[in-house]
Amino acid sequence: MKYKSTRNSHLRLEASQVIAQGISEEGGLFVPERLPAVELANLADMSYSRLAASIFRLFLTDFTDEQIESCVSHAYSPDKFGGEPVKLISLSGVQGNRHLLELWHGPTCAFKDMALQILPHFLAVSLKKSAPDKQAVILVATSGDTGKAALEGFRDVPSTHVIVFYPQNGVSPMQKRQMATQEGANVSVCAINGNFDDAQTAVKRIFTDDGIKQQLAEHGKMFSSANSINWGRLLPQIVYYFYAYFELCRKGKVQLGQPVHVAVPTGNFGNILAAYYARKMGLPVKKFICASNANRVLTDFIRTGVYDRHREFFATSSPSMDILISSNLERLLYALSDEDSGCLTDWMEQLAVQGYYDVGDRVRTKVQELFFGGSCDDAGTSRTVREIWEKDRYLVDTHTAVALDVYRQYVEETGDNSTPTIIASTASPYKFVEDVLGALEPLEKGDEYAYMARLEALTHTGMPLQLKALKEKPVRFKEVIQSGEALRYVLHTLGIGGGEK
């Protein structure tokens, strides 16, 4: 299996090269030259780890079987996830055929653990193959969950240094505490005055600057990424959609081969793109339900074919989705435009310069055949958290609530309430405790730990020990900078920039 770039279809690289590099030289995203087809019956009875290894072998063809097995066994050990890494919970059929895929049982209580527990192991193998003498500098822009998951996954991994940027007022208090207290000798965290797009733009600019890359090379370093622009981060997410489908089969909810829908709360489009790739490999997904919060740039794109980032930005109760530039949409459009890298380059340049692009009728029709787009504001999010608790006695976080509400919208618009639907549940409700508790009862003044204790007492659900332990950890990282200062921060942190931060 070789890989090309969304902006250079002639490129052919090995998996280890694209994982180590993260992003293509011209700014495009790496994609496999083809999506391999699988026989569902051959995978249906596998454990999560066996399924993951089987799928990874199709894509990581320059890894040995032993290397893949080692990566999987280290990433998905039962002590990290409390058993199988994911769980599937079926809700009552009152509001449709809903099956929640819980992806948040890992070390940081968010779905990003599913990829970021294994990416460091992928990267370690890749560096030995493609850049054995280099230290990988992992640059991360995060809207909350990716940052902590990357910090935890790469903590003290040899030959790596992780630098995370997050929007100062754009993450939950618990997400901020998770990052600010992170342990490890090779980690750095810095807040940016601005939103996630400011942080992401700053990171991408650093990534693609030839002069900066040369400066790093002279010091034995190279950039890589833990964001979902890195193929090694996106690939593991394909696995859990197959596993969820097979769980539905095991529970007798579907027959093997029967179609399902997939609903995903998404901002950067990576999680739902992984489901699309699973479909291309043979998973029988009928419709992708793309759920946005008040930052509904993806909803509007799906409905109009025009991507326009010129709009008001909202800081919402589902902050991990507070994004106006959805990087992974580029990979979908590359596929739906018949892999026309010239067309993709033009669209991305238009987005950078003018702030919008129009994919035209042909690609828009393809998007709409596959995707339903809907959005849910904070009031709808709060209402959904409350309704799911009252009707199903099931507690969801704010992001999962967005997906549930948009799925409800889909059922109301189409009348299709019988197709089994896998709904990605992306975070523990305790990570967004103030908004979750506030949806259930009036809030009294307190901090996040007082809210967590009250939510636990009110719902008789368990507070995650990973979050409880943070209370006693010292805060290590307090710096706040402007987005234009990101490069200076990176160089100073690595000891090659001169001057002070």
Side-chain angles (χ1 to χ4, degrees), residues 64-181:
T64 67
D65 284 351
E66 291 75 17
Q67 287 169 333
I68 290 174
E69 293 288 347
S70 176
C71 290
V72 169
S73 64
H74 282 94
Y76 299 129
S77 59
D79 61 313
K80 289 184 177 180
F81 289 88
E84 287 286 58
V86 303
K87 295 178 174 61
L88 192 73
I89 308 295
S90 298
L91 300 185
S92 66
V94 176
Q95 295 181 343
N97 201 330
R98 303 166 299 166
H99 307 276
L100 286 169
L101 177 60
E102 293 184 347
L103 299 169
W104 40 264
H105 294 284
T108 75
C109 302
F111 83 99
K112 306 297 175 68
D113 288 326
M114 299 304 301
L116 283 166
Q117 281 298 302
I118 198 164
L119 177 59
H121 302 289
F122 283 168
L123 185 61
V125 174
S126 297
L127 287 173
K128 288 179 182 177
K129 291 176 180 293
S130 63
D133 300 323
K134 294 283 183 70
Q135 180 193 55
V137 178
I138 316 296
L139 288 190
V140 180
T142 184
S143 54
D145 288 332
T146 290
K148 172 59 180 178
L151 291 163
E152 188 63 30
F154 281 95
R155 179 181 65 176
D156 293 326
V157 171
S159 299
T160 66
H161 191 107
V162 188
I163 302 174
V164 170
F165 295 103
Y166 70 91
Q168 167 70 353
N169 296 313
V171 300
S172 77
M174 185 56 68
Q175 288 174 314
K176 185 178 293 188
R177 181 179 287 270
Q178 282 186 303
M179 290 185 282
T181 59

Side-chain angles (χ1 to χ4, degrees), residues 122-361:
F122 283 168
L123 185 61
V125 174
S126 297
L127 287 173
K128 288 179 182 177
K129 291 176 180 293
S130 63
D133 300 323
K134 294 283 183 70
Q135 180 193 55
V137 178
I138 316 296
L139 288 190
V140 180
T142 184
S143 54
D145 288 332
T146 290
K148 172 59 180 178
L151 291 163
E152 188 63 30
F154 281 95
R155 179 181 65 176
D156 293 326
V157 171
S159 299
T160 66
H161 191 107
V162 188
I163 302 174
V164 170
F165 295 103
Y166 70 91
Q168 167 70 353
N169 296 313
V171 300
S172 77
M174 185 56 68
Q175 288 174 314
K176 185 178 293 188
R177 181 179 287 270
Q178 282 186 303
M179 290 185 282
T181 59
Q182 178 64 46
E183 299 169 338
N186 66 332
V187 303
S188 303
V189 181
C190 184
I192 280 181
N193 277 320
N195 58 38
F196 169 76
D197 293 314
D198 296 321
Q200 181 168 250
T201 299
V203 165
K204 278 190 172 181
R205 188 177 295 121
I206 295 170
F207 252 114
T208 54
D209 188 304
D210 291 335
I212 299 167
K213 286 187 283 189
Q214 179 62 33
Q215 194 172 356
L216 259 68
E218 292 169 359
H219 290 81
K221 304 177 190 297
M222 62 179 286
F223 283 133
S224 190
S225 172
N227 284 88
S228 55
I229 57 174
N230 192 318
W231 175 250
R233 162 69 191 282
L234 191 59
L235 173 59
Q237 296 178 269
I238 296 172
V239 178
Y240 50 68
Y241 290 109
F242 279 101
Y243 186 82
Y245 183 80
F246 297 141
E247 277 288 274
L248 285 177
C249 294
R250 286 188 280 268
K251 290 173 178 283
K253 303 293 185 180
V254 301
Q255 298 296 314
L256 193 67
Q258 180 182 344
V260 298
H261 300 321
V262 171
V264 184
T266 189
N268 221 11
F269 207 75
N271 202 0
I272 200 166
L273 179 69
Y276 168 80
Y277 283 150
R279 182 184 189 270
K280 296 280 285 183
M281 294 170 66
L283 191 68
V285 180
K286 185 177 178 182
K287 201 79 171 183
F288 300 96
I289 299 167
C290 181
S292 301
N293 59 21
N295 296 296
R296 47 175 289 141
V297 64
L298 284 169
T299 301
D300 293 340
F301 169 73
I302 291 168
R303 299 196 171 209
T304 67
V306 176
Y307 195 101
D308 187 353
R309 65 178 173 84
H310 289 307
R311 60 185 63 223
E312 184 178 357
F313 177 87
F314 299 99
T316 74
S317 62
S318 47
S320 296
M321 301 160 64
D322 290 348
I323 295 172
L324 296 182
I325 302 175
S326 302
S327 292
N328 271 293
L329 185 62
E330 180 172 340
R331 282 183 165 117
L332 175 72
L333 295 179
Y334 181 70
L336 298 186
S337 64
D338 301 322
E339 301 188 342
D340 186 337
S341 57
C343 188
L344 251 293
T345 300
D346 288 344
W347 287 337
M348 296 305 112
E349 287 180 356
Q350 289 171 33
L351 182 64
V353 175
Q354 301 172 3
Y356 67 91
Y357 58 85
D358 185 338
V359 297
D361 292 342

